Amino acid sequence: MPELPGDDRAIALLTDLVSTPSRSGQERAASERLVAWMAEHGFDAQVDAVGNAVGVRGTGLREVLLLGHIDTFPGDVPVRRDGDRLYGRGSVDAKGPLCAFAAAAALDPVPVGWRVTVVGAVEEEAATSRGARHVLEARVPGARPGPPAYCVVGEPSRWDRVTLGYRGRLVFDIRLRAPFAHSAGAERLPAERGIALWSAVERYCAEWNAGHDVRDSVFDALSPSLRTFVTSDEGAFGMVRLGVGVRLPLAADPETVHRELTVRLRESAAPGDQVELDIGVLGGEPAYRGGKSNALVRAFLAEIRARGGAPRFVVKTGTSDMNVVGPFWPRTPIVAYGPGDSALDHTPQEHVGLAEYLATIGVLRGVLRRLFAG
């Protein structure tokens, strides 16, 4: 029998994985380390075709899928321990939740008829969501394995909160090539045309929000972000490249926003014979919000209360792999859960409380027991 992880071993797993860099597209070493740990703790574990770390316990047809992600946002946060806090890139987003999944799934036998699958997906922080899409493609209706019976997405929520939904997103790559004009003349310079493009995005979102009576709820709003703005000279021409993100609420259809915004951008560019505008979409997912009247949610609420917590529901203004899989599994109860404060995502101060990390392992262990008994 494999040795089951206690608190020290669960903390050692998290420390080791956080100490292994895994920016999007560079996850192989971290995936191999997690697979090795899972293999030592009773999982049938492997790195799959796209680089996901996958561990399975049990052989039954009913599956609990614990879908985390192993890649991290760029930037170095030195790994260190300060009392109860573990600092390091990915400690919150989202190796803390992923390690909690693996540790909890290793603790108890899996009953006949069930299996538990832990996935450390690649490229969640990229526009591709390649790892989650691979998981989705392997679980199409009518195939084996089909959609899971339950799915928990690994994202920071704090130990006593359950996340029901996320806004969607569109990520645009906009490239403009336009001739230079004399700065004293009436014609706009290429960089000025680029600024006009960004202003068109802001105006479109503001008008959409006004038309949908969006007031105080960020979750219900269409929100633009200027991710990059780069200009360069090519002799008589200037190049402008904008990276633009638009967060989508439930009421916004990605295809409609894409189409309408493209029209606005082309109008704003004031194209002429020598003006070239290319609008590409690097990625896009619709918003998703799951239900709260199901066995998975009830199991979380009961376990949080059993440990003295007052459970709360939250919805997030960002995007996660829940947006990728949720719309395709309408009969699968899905929530997001994991230790950590999401306000620390992507920041130089990223850290997770170890007591909270261990508490989430306890909650997850109890949730699995309740689902198996249901």
Side-chain angles (χ1 to χ4, degrees):
M1 288 291 292
E3 183 180 354
L4 297 180
D7 290 357
D8 291 344
R9 291 173 66 83
I11 292 171
L13 167 64
L14 176 60
T15 304
D16 182 48
L17 207 62
V18 171
S19 300
T20 307
S22 56
R23 289 180 56 171
S24 296
Q26 303 172 22
E27 305 96 341
R28 185 76 188 194
S31 290
E32 290 177 348
R33 294 183 83 89
L34 179 57
V35 162
W37 188 94
M38 290 193 290
E40 292 173 359
H41 290 84
F43 292 81
D44 178 9
Q46 64 176 329
V47 178
D48 72 12
V50 299
N52 295 333
V54 181
V56 181
R57 297 193 67 212
T59 59
L61 294 179
R62 300 195 71 192
E63 179 186 31
V64 181
L65 174 63
L66 305 177
L67 176 60
H69 69 88
I70 202 163
D71 65 318
T72 67
F73 189 75
D76 181 40
V77 179
V79 180
R80 63 185 177 91
R81 177 96 174 256
D82 182 4
D84 178 63
R85 297 178 175 180
L86 177 67
Y87 287 79
R89 179 59 80 219
S91 55
V92 173
D93 187 21
K95 292 179 179 178
L98 175 58
C99 290
F101 284 176
L107 286 170
D108 296 308
V110 177
V112 173
W114 286 91
R115 71 181 185 278
V116 179
T117 303
V118 175
V119 178
V122 299
E123 297 185 25
E124 191 274 348
E125 297 288 355
T128 58
S129 294
R130 187 183 185 199
R133 295 188 193 284
H134 183 73
V135 171
L136 185 65
E137 291 166 2
R139 290 170 172 79
V140 297
R144 291 186 63 184
Y150 302 101
C151 177
V152 184
V153 175
E155 292 287 346
S157 65
R158 295 193 177 277
W159 81 274
D160 57 352
R161 303 194 307 180
V162 178
T163 302
L164 295 178
Y166 288 83
R167 285 196 297 179
R169 67 176 175 180
L170 285 171
V171 181
F172 291 90
D173 179 29
I174 305 169
R175 304 185 188 199
L176 174 75
R177 183 176 186 268
F180 277 106
H182 197 285
S183 60
E187 290 294 321
R188 289 186 296 180
L189 298 172
E192 293 171 333
R193 290 176 182 264
I195 293 171
L197 290 172
W198 167 241
S199 296
V201 175
E202 289 188 302
R203 284 195 305 273
Y204 172 80
C205 292
E207 292 170 7
W208 190 97
N209 291 336
H212 290 77
D213 195 27
V214 175
R215 297 176 182 176
D216 300 324
S217 174
V218 177
F219 185 78
D220 295 325
L222 202 66
S223 303
S225 60
L226 182 59
R227 301 155 65 96
T228 57
F229 187 94
V230 180
T231 64
S232 59
D233 296 349
E234 294 184 351
F237 290 83
M239 289 288 297
V240 185
R241 182 171 180 177
L242 295 83
V244 172
V246 179
R247 296 290 182 177
L248 308 174
L250 289 166
D253 172 60
E255 293 184 3
T256 301
V257 173
H258 179 199
R259 183 178 63 255
E260 293 178 348
L261 192 50
T262 297
V263 171
R264 291 291 190 92
L265 289 168
R266 294 197 182 283
E267 292 174 347
S268 177
D273 292 339
Q274 294 181 299
V275 176
E276 300 174 8
L277 179 65
D278 180 66
I279 304 169
V281 176
L282 298 179
E285 292 85 35
Y288 178 83
R289 181 168 184 163
K292 55 185 178 181
S293 298
N294 57 66
L296 180 62
V297 170
R298 289 193 292 272
F300 270 103
L301 299 182
E303 285 300 318
I304 291 169
R305 291 190 182 107
R307 287 162 174 75
R312 290 172 291 163
F313 294 119
V314 294
V315 291
K316 298 290 187 69
T317 57
T319 305
S320 78
D321 280 338
M322 180 186 285
N323 301 79
V324 176
V325 300
F328 290 91
W329 295 339
R331 297 184 179 181
T332 298
I334 302 177
V335 301
Y337 182 75
D341 180 358
S342 59
L344 297 171
D345 291 3
H346 304 180
T347 70
Q349 297 80 35
E350 185 173 3
H351 65 270
V352 68
L354 294 175
E356 181 178 19
Y357 166 64
L358 295 175
T360 62
I361 294 173
V363 170
L364 287 162
R365 182 186 192 182
V367 166
L368 289 174
R369 288 174 167 176
R370 290 177 185 271
L371 294 178
F372 294 154

